[in-house]
């Protein structure tokens, strides 16, 4: 279900009904109601009643319009459905995505109307999956346009240089066989998971094309990302993930994990 399209249609329908009522229908309707009250001898206490479609449109239009503007141009919530970004993001995390960090885009078409910034290496970004734009993915920006990217023996190389990483203290929540490391990608320090006993993919050096990005999950051996299906076009960008505001795994919602995303 395309929620953005449904929201745009709801705003359009309620807005048109509200506008037509303001310009044409309300005056004629109230004239008829005054005439009916006068005929009954109640001219001094006319009750102006609105038809239910008009009443609903007038009530819901401003609310839907605000939701559309906020969701399309300011911030949008998402839920994490998989473990591909562990340990940064866990299954059941609810995140907030900045919709203007990489430019303002129209809802539904995703057409950029104002260039306000570009993705930076290390950002956690939400985008439309290139193979199925109806599905949103979230990964970390690894390669910018023009970068040379290689992944070999669980080591990431950017422009010929190995990305620094070091083993950190064992995490009690780490699954058996997983290794947690601290990786420094540009100015961003973040944790990743590797599974030493799993061979993992090998990727020869590739060059990121213009206006495209190379994305990887922090759970390196369990992430369906650019190593398998290629680059993310600039037109598929949704926004920059910047905070976890809630966690829900089917029980009671938890706000104890509220945090910024790095």
């Amino acid at each position: 279900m395309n929620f953005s399209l449904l929201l745009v249609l709801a705003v359009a329908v309620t807005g048109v009904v509200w506008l037509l009522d303001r310009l044409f229908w309300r005056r004629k309707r109230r004239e008829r109601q005054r005439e009916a009250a006068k005929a009954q001898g109640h001219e001094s206490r006319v009750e102006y009643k609105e038809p239910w479609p008009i009443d609903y449109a007038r009530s819901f239009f401003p609310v839907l319009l605000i939701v559309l503007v906020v969701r399309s141009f300011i911030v949008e919530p998402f839920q994490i459905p998989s473990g591909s970004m562990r340990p940064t993001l866990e299954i059941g995390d609810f995140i907030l995505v900045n919709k203007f960090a990489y430019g303002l885009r129209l809802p539904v078409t995703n057409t950029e109307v104002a260039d306000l910034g570009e993705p930076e290496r290390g950002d956690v970004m939400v985008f439309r999956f290139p193979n199925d734009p109806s599905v949103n993915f979230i990964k970390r920006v690894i390669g910018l346009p023009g970068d040379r990217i290689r992944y070999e023996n669980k080591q990431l190389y950017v422009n010929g240089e190995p990305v620094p990483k070091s083993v950190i203290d064992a995490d009690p929540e780490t699954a058996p066989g997983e290794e947690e490391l601290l990786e420094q990608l540009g100015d961003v320090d973040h944790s990743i998971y590797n599974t030493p006993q799993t061979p993992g993919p090998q990727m020869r050096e590739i060059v990121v094309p213009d206006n495209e990005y190379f994305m990887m999950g922090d759970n390196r051996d369990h992430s369906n990302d650019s190593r398998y299906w290629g680059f993310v076009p600039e037109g598929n960008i949704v926004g920059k993930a910047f905070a976890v505001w809630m966690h829900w795994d089917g029980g009671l919602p938890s706000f104890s994990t509220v945090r910024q995303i790095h």
Side-chain angles (χ1 to χ4, degrees), residues 247-260:
H247 180 85
W248 183 63
D249 55 8
L252 292 176
S254 171
F255 299 93
S256 61
T257 58
V258 173
R259 64 190 185 279
Q260 286 186 313

Side-chain angles (χ1 to χ4, degrees), residues 137-156:
F137 269 30
I138 182 167
K139 306 291 179 186
R140 192 175 296 274
V141 179
I142 302 296
L144 305 177
D147 281 348
R148 293 179 289 113
I149 306 296
R150 177 162 62 99
Y151 190 77
E152 188 176 81
N153 298 323
K154 300 186 187 296
Q155 175 62 56
L156 174 64

